[in-house]
């Protein structure tokens, strides 16, 4: 085992890291690091630490392609920041690297109270049961003591419930009062403690959202069956609704049309149901058999997979604290290393069981709160590496407490930055037995065990989130580079690096790093679909990654690299990269540039990967999305039109794409390189399966979607099924629309063929057809003279009243002159009554005369109701105007009324004769005028019981005392209540109440008194309201 | 080496809502509109987006696209933000260099021009840019241009320097020294080719000048703790040529044993080779390798160490030799090294032939390995593979398997079976040998068993 002779020079410093993290992180570019004479002589040239000469791997396809059908049962949705944060309250101080977020724990608390009321209020509820009355009925008597009726409160609460989600929340004072009163004692659980715990949990969730170390290592592994580089293998991945089924899927790598290898699943996988979510799957081949370690939070299992045999489970261990790492030894069969969050590291041999090597709750080099621990094997089978966030040490199994060697330390020795932490160590045994890859959130390091603490290689990877998945593919000894894949969880980023050296020459990073497709990149090629579908697909495809693995294969002269990616939803995607030989073999230019020259030909930028599919907007347009859209525009990207023309809305129809349209898409210079038809078809099948599964998903498992209006009933089936009249025109219009979408242009009406016939104008509104006050006022407002109208109206109403008085006086005089003898004697039992009723004729004359063009006081009731007066009506009422029916209506009450005798009872002469003082006469008349109306026949709607109560006698039997008790200032509503207390004469107010309750269908001739006095105040108020 | 580094736990000052790990960037799907703090201007937003596109293009190796975006990104230099103004020149330099390094149409002149412009962007970056430029020139074989640049950069002075700048300046000087050394060695070659008479005084003078310049600079950098393999080798070569062996030895000893220097295995190897060249005593050589053995037991020099120890007459050293060779074979990297296996086989054979005098050494060594060596080295699978790939290796291992694990060992049985089938004579002798020393196997296992029971 050779040690590289001259190493790249560099100063060595001890101590804590001093470098500030740069912003933006670009340190990975430009620098070539120190150089080294390739030989002892200068003419042999120099080599840099970071050489641009490397292998060139180009993606064969435009997207990552689904390998297996979607994990249909998966229904656990990822927590989003919106779930746990107050909106818009994340702030980031980049220099300090800190994030400030406001946790929305009150909402979660509310959810708890609603979902578990028994736990929250159970005991107090039982205690208060006797004292709370929840029914609608009134409590009487003794029952009222110590009992609070809560029906109103409940009603308000139910209103609140209906308004949930409403932005403008209004809390009634009653509720507010109740809250204030009860918040100190109502809760079963101490509110402060509950809130604290909840806040803690939310902080944990937020922390996990920012960085979750549980899936470190990745739950995806590839085991080639028949040695490295074989064309078949076994893919190990979790599946199922809770990602708790371990699948051993046989996969064959077959060359496609372009020579690139593509995987193809064979047969159904061997499945094992586990008792927890699979976090990590690590697999190694030792002695011809493959050993698999599977880690879930509290259980770890080991499997053996022998070629041609069913995988056999070997052993399962249960841990008390969550396991953080499980790696399989590449040296000895059936040996694994296991770390838990309690800081313990175990050597787990399938034969002998667990052996605890050490347990250190404290971190190694400096204090860090993270309980994460990791352990890998090293070149010596009895030495394990033991990592926490601060560094990596070597641990001898034979003497775990004594022999410890520092392998890597976050500090100035390795040139670390401030705040840097170890995220993932990986033993690169297959590339070089003494090399380890150590990834931090900023850089990747290659460390040689023989020269600890000083990394042989350091490179800033510039990934936005820490890489917690890594996979290494060893290069061949003939100068081929080792390929290292780094994968990030939340952003699904994938980075491909290459490095060489380690034994004869110093370790070097070669070639340009390359970013590979993410699963979410496929979103931009999705066919057009409804925003809901798109939103949901966004969530699905944008799920954090759960594992990365890769393999190399060869088909003839073409070398392929297959990269598999697993998402947390259990969806498995792959992409193929092809090794392209450098076209330009000059020593200065490492490899050929990309074939395209125009920037618009490039694939869409990664920066917009979180954008909703181009050309479609989804959900609420937040500021961020707006910005993203702007970015898209900046990049000169074009709207990607679905290549399939006919089934736009059924994107998941599972039909292969139209090859012609594909070809068109390719030749067009403004389009992104679209996925090939075969891949598009594959993607479509996947989408179809997914949407099928989605439809069968249980309702509560579906993600919340904003409420919308259904369009289903807008058109009938027949209407939709109708063949458009002009088929050619229809197709032409479609084409036009599509082109407009592509060019982001406008669709002008004439471009769609014949201009549509102009819509018939609606009937013009004739202001005169709407003589009521409201319409008048609206008309006046429309014209602009509202204030004039108002003043005029004020004046008019006063003038009208004056006129009404004058007219009444005139008529009275006329009637007195006539000197008609009344029949009032037969009506009354007493003299006073006779005199009271003497003025009847006058009132009735007036009320009957309302049919005639007499002025009607402009009370709101009257103005809102259709006018009875026909004075302003046009000769020919407009069809449909209220005038037509109002004229008919106006006849009705008059017709039904008996203009007969009792009206004469109220004549002022009669009243005078009875000795009623003049000033009280009017009030009396007002009062009695109602009675003149009331004895009309009960309307047919009145129930029979009521009708019977009305009795046969329609006369108004008013006693003297009754009449005298009627004060002059008494209004009709008051008298009504009084009348109700008056025993037998109940029918009088009843008819009144009936009239009001029966409402609008029938015009109730209100008496003058009511109109003039009772409604006086009302009118004022109502007017003010306008 | 100081094992414990005090570092203030930054988590505490971050507050409870800080992520458990310092994230370089907030993942963009977690971006919310910022409600407080200074608002970004449109210019900044545009440039930020532009930078994202450049980064994206670079990561997809689309150099032309990156270059086109770069044109508009250059405007960032006019930004009014203080923090941006600080970082922008470096960003432009890094991205620009990367594009020029990979772009199919770029050439050395363009990169030179770009770098010269970049040098004037800021005082802080001058040395860094110079150094990278020199590396570029060196990698492209433009030694003379690189030397000119080194001379220029060396004389650059500006106020007080940061620690990083200091390092860069030292490196510049060291590389200049290295180039001087290369010039010197060219002259030396020329001198060796020519006769003594033809080698003029002036050339000798010139050569000496190179030596002086190189020695001064190289000596300077070697004083600083670090990995200075090429410089140390050059400096020692210079010193050796002019016969200053004491200085050379001192330099190498310092380089290997100064605790401020990192534990570089090469330092020990250089010292060992130097001492060997000087014909130093075996004792000093052994002591050098002994230290190396402690730090890197899997070093390639361990075989040499073993050979040295094997020849020793002292039991202690021979015991150490056995330990060394056993330990070498512990490592996965030596697993299939025939030489190491034959060394061990030879040693064991020797012990067995020596009437089992030192069999307890083997026992002791075997004791700590008996639980994992059989699976690690002597599995049936490995027997098959070794037999297919390397018969010699299989033979040596089979011999050891037979002695250490008895004749029922799968590895031994398989290899022996295959060997006998192939009618190889030495496998017959192997069989005889193992049979003969079966008692030794019994003793080894018995002893180890008793020791474990104790």
């Amino acid at each position: 085992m050779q040690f590289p002779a001259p190493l790249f020079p560099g100063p060595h410093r001890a101590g804590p890291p001093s470098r500030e993290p740069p912003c933006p992180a670009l340190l990975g570019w430009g620098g070539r690091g120190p150089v080294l004479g390739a030989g002892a002589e200068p003419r042999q040239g120099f080599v840099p630490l970071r050489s641009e000469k490397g292998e060139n791997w180009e993606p064969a396809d435009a997207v990552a392609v689904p390998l297996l059908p979607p994990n249909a049962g998966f229904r656990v949705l990822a927590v989003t920041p919106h779930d746990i944060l107050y909106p818009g309250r994340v702030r980031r101080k980049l220099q300090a690297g800190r994030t400030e977020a406001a946790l929305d724990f009150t909402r979660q608390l509310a959810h708890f109270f609603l979902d578990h009321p028994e736990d929250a209020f159970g005991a107090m509820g039982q205690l208060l049961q006797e004292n709370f009355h929840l029914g609608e009925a009134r409590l009487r008597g003794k029952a009222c003591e110590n009992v609070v009726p809560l029906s109103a409160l409940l009603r308000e609460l139910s209103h609140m419930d209906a308004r949930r989600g409403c932005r403008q929340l209004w809390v009634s004072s009653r509720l507010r009062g109740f809250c204030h009163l009860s918040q100190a004692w109502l809760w079963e659980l101490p509110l402060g403690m509950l809130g604290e715990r909840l806040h803690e949990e939310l902080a944990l969730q937020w922390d996990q959202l920012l960085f979750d170390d549980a899936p470190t290592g990745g739950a995806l592994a590839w085991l080639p069956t028949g040695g490295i580089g074989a064309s078949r293998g076994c893919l190990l991945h979790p599946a199922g609704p809770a990602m708790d089924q371990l699948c051993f899927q046989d996969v064959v790598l077959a060359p496609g049309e372009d020579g690139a290898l593509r995987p193809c699943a064979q047969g159904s996988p061997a499945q094992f149901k586990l008792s927890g979510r699979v976090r990590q799957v690590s697999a190694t081949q030792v002695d011809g058999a493959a050993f698999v370690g599977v880690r879930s939070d509290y259980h770890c299992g080991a499997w053996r997979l022998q070629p041609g045999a069913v995988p056999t489970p070997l052993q399962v261990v249960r841990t008390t604290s969550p396991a953080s790492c499980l790696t399989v030894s590449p040296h000895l069969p059936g040996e694994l290393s296991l770390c838990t969050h309690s800081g313990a590291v175990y050597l787990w041999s399938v034969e002998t069981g667990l052996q605890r090597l050490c347990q250190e709750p404290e971190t190694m080099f400096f204090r860090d709160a993270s309980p994460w621990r990791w352990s890998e094997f090293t070149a010596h089978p009895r030495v394990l590496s033991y990592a926490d966030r601060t560094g990596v040490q070597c641990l001898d199994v034979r003497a775990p407490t004594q022999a410890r060697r520092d392998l890597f330390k976050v500090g100035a020795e390795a040139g670390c930055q401030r705040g840097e932490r170890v995220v993932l160590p990986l033993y690169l045994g297959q590339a070089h037995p003494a090399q380890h890859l150590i990834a931090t959130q900023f850089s990747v390091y290659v460390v040689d065990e023989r020269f600890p603490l000083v990394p042989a290689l350091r490179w800033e990877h510039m990934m936005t989130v820490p890489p917690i998945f890594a996979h290494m593919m060893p290069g061949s000894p003939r100068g081929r580079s080792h390929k290292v894949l780094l994968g990030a969880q939340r952003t699904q980023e994938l980075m491909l690096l290459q490095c060489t050296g380690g034994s004869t020459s110093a370790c070097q990073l070669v070639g340009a790093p390359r970013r590979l497709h993410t699963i979410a990149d496929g979103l931009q090629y999705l066919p057009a679909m409804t925003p809901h579908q798109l939103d949901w697909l966004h969530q699905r495809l944008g799920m954090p990654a759960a594992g990365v693995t890769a393999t190399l294969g060869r088909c003839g002269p073409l070398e392929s690299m297959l990269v598999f990616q697993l998402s947390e939803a259990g969806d498995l995607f792959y992409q193929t990269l092809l090794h392209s030989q450098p076209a330009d073999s000059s020593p200065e230019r490492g490899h050929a540039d990309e074939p395209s020259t125009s920037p618009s030909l490039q694939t869409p930028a990664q920066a917009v990967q979180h954008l909703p599919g181009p050309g479609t907007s989804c959900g609420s347009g937040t500021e961020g999305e707006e910005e993203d859209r702007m970015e898209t525009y900046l990049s000169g990207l074009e709207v990607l039109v679905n290549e399939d023309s006919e089934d736009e809305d059924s994107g998941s129809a599972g039909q292969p794409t139209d090859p012609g349209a594909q070809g068109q898409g390719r030749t067009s210079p403004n389009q992104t390189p679209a996925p090939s038809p075969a891949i598009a078809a594959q993607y479509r099948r996947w989408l179809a399966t997914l949407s099928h599964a989605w439809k069968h998903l249980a309702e509560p498992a579906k993600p919340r979607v904003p409420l919308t209006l259904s369009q289903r009933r807008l058109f009938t089936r027949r209407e939709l099924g109708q063949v458009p009249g002009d088929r050619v025109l229809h197709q032409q219009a479609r084409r036009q629309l599509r082109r407009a979408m592509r060019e982001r242009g406008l669709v002008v009406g004439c471009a769609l063929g014949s201009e549509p016939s102009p819509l018939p104008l609606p009937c013009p509104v004739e202001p005169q057809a709407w003589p009521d006050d409201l319409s008048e006022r609206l008309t006046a407002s429309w014209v602009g003279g509202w204030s004039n109208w108002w003043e005029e109206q004020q004046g008019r109403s006063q003038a009208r009243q004056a006129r009404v008085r004058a007219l009444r006086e005139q008529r009275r005089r006329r009637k007195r002159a006539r000197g008609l003898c009344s029949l009032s004697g037969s009506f009354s039992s007493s003299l006073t009554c006779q005199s009271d009723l003497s003025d009847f004729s006058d009132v009735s004359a007036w009320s009957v005369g309302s049919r005639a063009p007499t002025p009607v006081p402009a009370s709101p009731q009257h103005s809102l109701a259709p006018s009875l007066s026909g004075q302003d009506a046009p000769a020919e009422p407009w069809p449909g105007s209220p005038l037509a029916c109002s004229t008919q209506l106006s006849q009705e009450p008059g017709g039904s009324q008996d203009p007969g005798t009792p009206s004469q009872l109220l004549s002022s002469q009669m009243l005078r004769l009875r000795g009623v003082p003049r000033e009280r006469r009017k009030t009396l008349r007002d009062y009695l005028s109602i009675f003149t109306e009331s004895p009309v026949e009960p309307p047919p709607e009145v129930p029979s019981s009521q009708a019977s109560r009305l009795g046969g006698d329609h006369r108004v039997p008013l006693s003297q005392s009754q009449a005298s008790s009627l004060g002059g200032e008494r209004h009709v509503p008051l008298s009504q209540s009084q009348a109700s207390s008056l025993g037998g004469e109940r029918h009088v107010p009843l008819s009144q109440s009936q009239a009001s309750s029966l409402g609008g269908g029938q015009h109730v001739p209100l008496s003058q008194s009511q109109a003039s006095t009772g409604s006086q105040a009302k009118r004022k108020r109502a007017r003010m309201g306008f | 080496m100081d094992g414990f580094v005090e570092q203030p736990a930054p988590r505490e000052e971050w507050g409870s809502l800080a992520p458990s790990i310092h994230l370089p960037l907030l993942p963009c799907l977690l971006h919310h509109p910022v409600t407080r703090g200074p608002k970004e201007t449109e210019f900044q937003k545009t440039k930020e987006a532009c930078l994202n596109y450049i980064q994206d293009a670079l990561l997809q190796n689309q150099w032309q696209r990156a270059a086109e975006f770069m044109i508009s990104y250059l405007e960032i230099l006019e930004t009014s933000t203080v923090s941006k103004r600080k970082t922008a020149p470096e960003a432009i330099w890094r991205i620009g260099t990367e594009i020029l390094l990979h772009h199919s149409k770029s050439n050395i002149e363009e990169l030179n021009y770009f770098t010269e412009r970049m040098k004037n962007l800021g005082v802080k970056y001058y040395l860094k840019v110079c150094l990278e430029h020199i590396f570029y020139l060196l990698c492209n074989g433009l030694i003379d241009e690189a030397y000119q640049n080194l001379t220029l950069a060396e004389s650059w002075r500006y106020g007080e320097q940061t620690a990083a700048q200091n390092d860069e300046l030292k490196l510049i000087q060291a590389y200049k020294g290295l180039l001087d050394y290369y010039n010197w060695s060219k002259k030396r070659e020329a001198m060796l080719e020519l006769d003594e008479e033809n080698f003029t005084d002036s050339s000798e003078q010139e050569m000496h000048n190179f030596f002086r310049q190189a020695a001064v600079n190289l000596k300077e950098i070697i004083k600083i703790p670090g990995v200075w393999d090429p410089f140390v080798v050059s400096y020692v070569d210079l010193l050796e040529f002019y016969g200053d062996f004491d200085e050379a030895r001192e330099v190498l000893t310092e380089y290997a044993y100064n605790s401020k220097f990192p534990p570089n295995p090469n330092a020990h190897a250089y010292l060992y080779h130097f001492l060997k060249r000087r014909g130093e005593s075996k004792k000093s050589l052994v002591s050098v390798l002994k230290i190396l053995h402690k730090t890197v037991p899997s070093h390639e020099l361990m075989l040499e160490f073993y050979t040295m120890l094997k020849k020793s007459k002292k039991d202690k050293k021979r015991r150490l030799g056995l330990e060394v060779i056993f330990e070498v074979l512990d490592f996965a990297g030596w697993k299939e090294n025939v030489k190491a296996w034959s060394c061990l086989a030879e040693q064991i054979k020797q012990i067995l032939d020596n009437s089992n005098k030192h069999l307890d050494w083997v026992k002791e060594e075997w004791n700590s390995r008996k639980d994992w060596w059989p699976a690690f080295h002597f599995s049936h699978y490995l027997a098959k593979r070794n037999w297919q790939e390397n018969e010699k290796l299989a033979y040596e291992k089979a011999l050891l398997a037979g002695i250490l694990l008895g004749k029922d060992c799968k590895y031994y049985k398989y290899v022996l079976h295959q060997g006998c089938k192939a009618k190889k004579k030495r496998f017959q002798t192997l069989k005889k040998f193992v049979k003969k020393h079966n008692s030794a196997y019994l003793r080894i296992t018995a002893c180890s068993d008793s020791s474990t029971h104790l």
Side-chain angles (χ1 to χ4, degrees), chain B residues 35-63:
Chain B
T35 48
R36 287 173 289 170
K39 202 135 172 77
E40 274 193 328
T41 60
E42 281 301 316
F43 176 77
Q44 280 172 353
K45 276 187 201 162
T46 322
K47 291 303 146 199
E48 202 59 41
C50 189
L51 184 63
N52 282 341
Y53 281 107
I54 295 174
Q55 179 87 338
D56 182 59
L58 289 179
L59 283 171
Q60 293 184 42
N61 300 359
Q62 298 166 345
W63 313 113

Side-chain angles (χ1 to χ4, degrees), chain A residues 5 13 35 92 441 599 606, chain B residues 22-23 56 68 167 175 266:
Chain A
R13 228 178 258 115
V35 292
R92 179 134 185 113
Q441 70 268 48
Q606 198 82 10
Chain B
H22 176 111
L23 296 173
D56 182 59
E68 282 170 33
D167 282 348
Y175 272 103
N266 282 341

Side-chain angles (χ1 to χ4, degrees), chain A residues 46 661 945:
Chain A
F46 287 83
S945 63

